[in-house]
Amino acid sequence: MRDLYPAIEPYHQGKLKVSDLHTIHYEESGNPEGKPVIFLHGGPGGGITPRYRQYFDPQLWRIIIFDQRGCGQSTPYAELQENTTWDLVRDIEQLREHLKVTQWVVFGGSWGSTLALAYSQNHPDSCKGLILRGIFMLRPSEIRWFYQEGANHIYPDAWQEYLKPIPPEEQDDLVSAYYRRLTSKDRQVRLEAARAWSVWEASTSKLVPSAASKQYFGQPEFAEAFARIECHYFVNQGFFDRENQLLANIDRIRHLPGVIVQGRYDVVCPMITAWELHQTWQEAELIVIDNAGHSMSEPGIKDALIRASDRFAAL
Ligand code: STX
């Protein structure tokens, strides 16, 4: 099994003002002359971590990673205004031009896969290929499964904690009930909701749940942006015109090399979505990891992603 490349520091970090309101934080690591890859993090609202650099051979890749609007070191923190899928798609293109990249490989898991599909379908000429993991297309059925009815059958214990901030009379529409609290003027109300929302996701992301990731997701500095931005995208149905938009537009990227890595026991983004994507995009390679859940740190997922990035380095 392949493991992560050694930890590295960026050779360059910067800020890019992408609108009157928003500035995004980005970093470049690895080889400045290497093949460019843009890493799209999850959530939306998850921000970046140094580990993301370690999925790529630093001799071969110019590894470009950024905090999407409102999270990590991007500012303003947890801001929902001017924060839509199409704003992020424009930011990626603006960052590409700013860094004088002609084409890059697009790497994204979970919400990062949603954004990778949206971006590549709008800018196919900017893309060399796609490495996708834990596929999420932000359709109503996927939101319903994880935040209303479905995943609770597998994690009733964690679900009880997720339900706590919401009184029974509001539980028939949990995403809306959470949205009201996450946008409350009362900081305590916001933070309580943000913590419960985020810990639910941390509790369900790994085949074998980890206390460390629950602790990380539960910290207010992480949870507030993660929960607010996720919930904002979900109440707005990802800002898509129609629910199957990303499948309907596959022809725009069909010619690009693509790999889809999916954990069999992914509870956050169940495999049906990866399956449907692959049915529509059969030219892409589907790799199912039979002993993994959602997280990119699961050993089998890590192995498959690193093998894929090694192969793509030769494109
Ligand atoms: N959201 C899934 C997602 O994109 C429905 C995601 N889950 N956890 C993450 O992202 C981080 C690891 C980035 C926090």
Side-chain angles (χ1 to χ4, degrees):
M1 289 268 264
R2 297 292 303 278
D3 207 343
L4 296 180
Y5 283 100
I8 49 173
E9 289 303 313
Y11 61 79
H12 175 241
Q13 304 192 51
K15 305 281 183 212
L16 184 64
K17 189 165 165 57
V18 288
S19 79
D20 285 345
L21 182 59
H22 288 276
T23 297
I24 59 169
H25 170 83
Y26 68 90
E27 56 162 61
E28 300 181 80
S29 313
N31 179 353
E33 306 299 325
K35 180 185 285 287
V37 57
I38 179 75
F39 182 106
L40 304 178
H41 70 65
I48 67 181
T49 86
R51 287 197 147 233
Y52 294 162
R53 302 168 196 146
Q54 296 176 249
Y55 286 78
F56 309 92
D57 184 336
Q59 314 272 13
L60 302 179
W61 290 98
R62 175 181 175 192
I63 308 154
I64 301 158
I65 311 187
F66 74 103
D67 284 313
Q68 294 162 25
R69 290 189 183 201
C71 63
Q73 297 180 68
S74 292
T75 56
Y77 178 73
E79 177 61 60
L80 304 181
Q81 276 187 62
E82 294 178 26
N83 197 340
T84 73
T85 305
W86 310 111
D87 290 318
L88 302 185
V89 164
R90 275 190 294 276
D91 294 350
I92 299 167
E93 212 33 19
Q94 208 176 318
L95 184 60
R96 185 185 63 77
E97 283 166 9
H98 177 72
L99 296 173
K100 302 190 168 41
V101 169
T102 316
Q103 280 192 323
W104 48 19
V105 169
V106 182
F107 183 108
S110 200
W111 157 257
S113 75
T114 323
L115 184 58
L117 290 167
Y119 170 71
S120 60
Q121 291 175 359
N122 278 273
H123 300 283
D125 296 341
S126 304
C127 303
K128 260 227 149 351
L130 284 93
I131 302 175
L132 307 177
R133 177 220 32 115
I135 304 307
F136 181 47
M137 291 197 278
L138 215 151
R139 297 172 296 179
S141 60
E142 296 168 63
I143 305 298
R144 204 178 315 118
W145 158 269
F146 190 63
Y147 296 102
Q148 189 66 41
E149 170 85 49
N152 58 323
H153 292 227
I154 301 172
Y155 286 101
D157 41 359
W159 184 256
Q160 206 162 59
E161 300 299 313
Y162 168 73
L163 286 183
K164 271 191 184 154
I166 313 298
E169 60 274 18
E170 292 182 61
Q171 290 182 2
D172 59 334
D173 182 357
L174 288 162
V175 173
S176 302
Y178 261 103
Y179 189 71
R180 286 190 288 275
R181 285 161 181 78
L182 291 167
T183 55
S184 164
K185 287 193 168 51
D186 182 337
R187 182 156 192 273
Q188 261 333 101
V189 170
R190 278 201 320 271
L191 289 184
E192 190 206 350
R195 186 176 292 118
W197 173 282
S198 301
V199 169
W200 163 242
E201 197 156 325
S203 307
T204 50
S205 282
K206 294 188 180 178
L207 189 61
V208 181
S210 120
S213 85
K214 274 170 52 173
Q215 206 269 339
Y216 178 77
F217 278 59
Q219 290 168 329
E221 315 80 69
F222 174 83
E224 192 175 15
F226 186 60
R228 272 168 58 85
I229 296 172
E230 278 199 333
C231 196
H232 164 72
Y233 276 67
F234 300 163
V235 297
N236 288 292
Q237 280 144 50
F239 306 94
F240 293 119
D241 297 330
R242 50 204 161 110
E243 61 178 83
N244 278 321
Q245 184 167 341
L246 296 174
L247 289 176
N249 289 338
I250 282 296
D251 278 345
R252 300 185 185 176
I253 56 166
R254 192 177 292 288
H255 60 286
L256 294 171
V259 176
I260 302 164
V261 177
Q262 178 68 41
R264 168 73 66 186
Y265 295 107
D266 188 330
V267 170
V268 183
C269 301
M271 181 172 151
I272 180 89
T273 304
W275 184 254
E276 288 173 9
L277 176 62
H278 185 245
Q279 291 293 111
T280 305
W281 186 17
Q282 294 193 10
E283 296 82 352
E285 182 187 5
L286 174 64
I287 302 174
V288 178
I289 308 302
D290 272 320
N291 56 355
H294 179 64
S295 167
M296 75 187 292
S297 65
E298 307 253 338
I301 305 269
K302 211 157 41 177
D303 173 75
L305 289 173
I306 292 166
R307 286 176 198 277
S309 77
D310 280 2
R311 271 190 287 127
F312 272 56
L315 285 182

